[in-house]
Amino acid sequence: METVRLARHGEIAIATIDNPPVNALGQALRSDLARAVADAGSDPGIAAIVIAAAGRAFIAGADFSEFGKPPVAPFLPDLLDAIEASPKPGVAAIQGVALGGGLEVALSCHGRVASSAAMLGLPEVKLGLIPGAGGTQRLPRLIGAAKAFPMMLSGEPVTAGRALELGLVDEVTGGDVVAAAVALARTLVTRGAPVRQRDATVRLTSADRETFEALAADATKKSGDMPNAMALIEAVRAAVTLPFAEGLAVERALFTKLLADPRSKALRHVFFAEREIARVPGIGSEVKPRPIAKAAVIGAGTMGGGIAMCFANAGIPVTLIETQKAQIDNGMNRIAAIYEMSVARGSLTPALRDQRLALITPAVGIAAAAKADIVIEAAFEEMGVKQQIFSALDAIVKPGAILASNTSYLDIPTIAAANTRPADVLGMHFFSPANVMKLLEIVRPAGVADDVVATAVALGRRLGKVPVVVGNGFGFVGNRMLEQRTRAAERLLIAGALPHEVDGALTGFGFKMGPFAMSDLAGNDIGWRTRKSRGKTAAVADAICECGWFGQKTGRGYYLYPDGARSGERDPEVEALIARISAEQGVTRRNFTAEDILARLLDPMVNEGARILEEGIAARPGDIDIIWLNGYN
Ligand code: T1G
């Protein structure tokens, strides 16, 4: 056996799993574990078995690399049945994480001991799945359906302490978890035949079932469009109404169907893509980031204020700089108001609010950036303004300080040319609102030092962002593809579609908002100003702005927002304006189906993504997927 070491501790067998990096339940491990359980079971000198693990995980779950391939024996459910059916007690010694199939192994045991730092969970829903090796049947029998269902629906792991409260583990130890498991095994031996979860129905009371059904009804309202959430309800309902074997068959059928669902395949792709972005081509782990102890942000507008909050929220002191006192006061008031909303919502304590505000030092004048290890410029989106700032910074900041621009599409080398240290200059493009959106595009122009890029990636993670390194080019990746969609949406209006039809097609596809609702939220005048600065026009979008219909902030844009409503209503004047523009352009308006609209909006984005890959602006297709998931929902 390569992945399991079997040792004896008197009459107790200890099977130690060692399958780096995270003890995933690949075929070799399943085979070795089945062998160890059988050997222990047939050894007359053995009275019980402890299943322990080496490394940072107990067991991370099924092996992702096997997904989508024909399953190979021994199958995980059969292995778990063998552990559970053993006449000798099995005890799980859990250190690190017990996730998915890993927790299902522990559930098939007759006892469980966790180290105090362990985490236990069934995260399958995050992969578009449900637990597929008895978790939906055994967990409710162990802790009740009312507690098991929300734990599986959220997919969030619980601490060892919470697991003890739930009854998920028998004991938590700050000491040697294997020794504690051996002691528990000995105790179970004295109790005679092991108690199997499959036979334990004491928790499945009518009260428990009622609570579960109420939670299921609530989940149906909230996530009725998620097939795996509905499947989970069906599987847990089978656990509380059917015999174990029948419930297991229900779970297996539901799991197998979800495994083939394209949404689950996409979520599994995302799991790996999220890990791939840490691999920046040409920058290995030998490139060490520069230390960042102090930051400065130039510009206290919406973006600059949000970026300053990112630093404060991460505990990094930051100086927020404006050119005039009135502007820095406005900026600080906006930040204070945002924190106040969090306190009012209960998502931030007053103490934390004060601590974070104390980390933001308002200042007037760029000289205040002198001591910063990194300066992020978030000034007006105009090249001259940025060059003036980067030139002035040259004489102020210390050697080795990193200079980043938050520009959303301007050319980084042109900005860097304004000073004498281009190797220290790159782009750090945050997405609005910067203190909320996860995506951070790190723009890597030719000539920037590798350790500057490594520093920006490490800092991005420290700020709680998803940092993706991209090449320099108009709009980088996200906004460059978004521009294709924006153009297509405008053309659709002139060709015959209406704003709510276009938006509806995209939200039906899965976006949180369509292009026109998004533009009304951000402010239609932003796009208008950008088009004018680039000498571009868009007949409908320009006409809407010429009417002063800038969106929610003016009570109307593509839609009407009566009494400050957050969701818009159709505006007959806008629809008449669109029809007039079609006529002026000699276009005979026609109807579009949602499928037509989706193809016209998404295909140009995919083509632009392909060009971005071809040009090397993005390193991998998965990077583009991560950008769109984290920057545009
Ligand atoms: N299978 C294969 N490889 C995995 C893996 C897995 N389940 N989990 C992690 N890895 C690899 C990962 O790709 C990386 O590889 C290395 O391990 C370190 O991972 C039947 C069907 C365990 C908390 O969803 O949450 O069981 O890049 O960088 O930050 O009902 O990995 O080094 O080559 O993330 O310390 C359910 C997924 C599966 C857990 C460790 N389990 N993994 O985090 O390291 S479905 C999960 C994680 C299932 C059953 C169902 C995390 C971690 P490389 P890492 P980490």
Side-chain angles (χ1 to χ4, degrees), residues 20-25 56-57 59-67 76-77 97 99-102 104 121-124 126-127 129-135 251-252 255 259 268 271-272 275-276 279:
V22 292
N23 293 334
L25 280 162
R56 60 178 150 170
I59 300 175
D63 186 332
F64 284 142
S65 63
E66 292 183 353
F67 280 61
L76 187 56
V97 291
L99 297 174
E104 289 171 310
L122 292 171
E124 288 85 343
K126 295 181 178 177
L127 301 165
L129 301 170
I130 60 171
E251 174 194 89
R252 177 54 46 186
F255 174 79
L259 204 53
R268 297 186 317 250
F271 176 87
F272 285 109
R275 280 152 181 76
E276 278 296 290
R279 292 181 176 76

Side-chain angles (χ1 to χ4, degrees), residues 509-533:
F509 175 76
F511 280 89
K512 293 285 186 298
M513 286 180 100
F516 299 115
M518 199 167 99
S519 184
D520 273 355
L521 176 67
N524 300 322
D525 49 323
I526 293 176
W528 193 32
R529 199 168 44 234
T530 306
R531 282 193 299 279
K532 286 197 276 189
S533 72

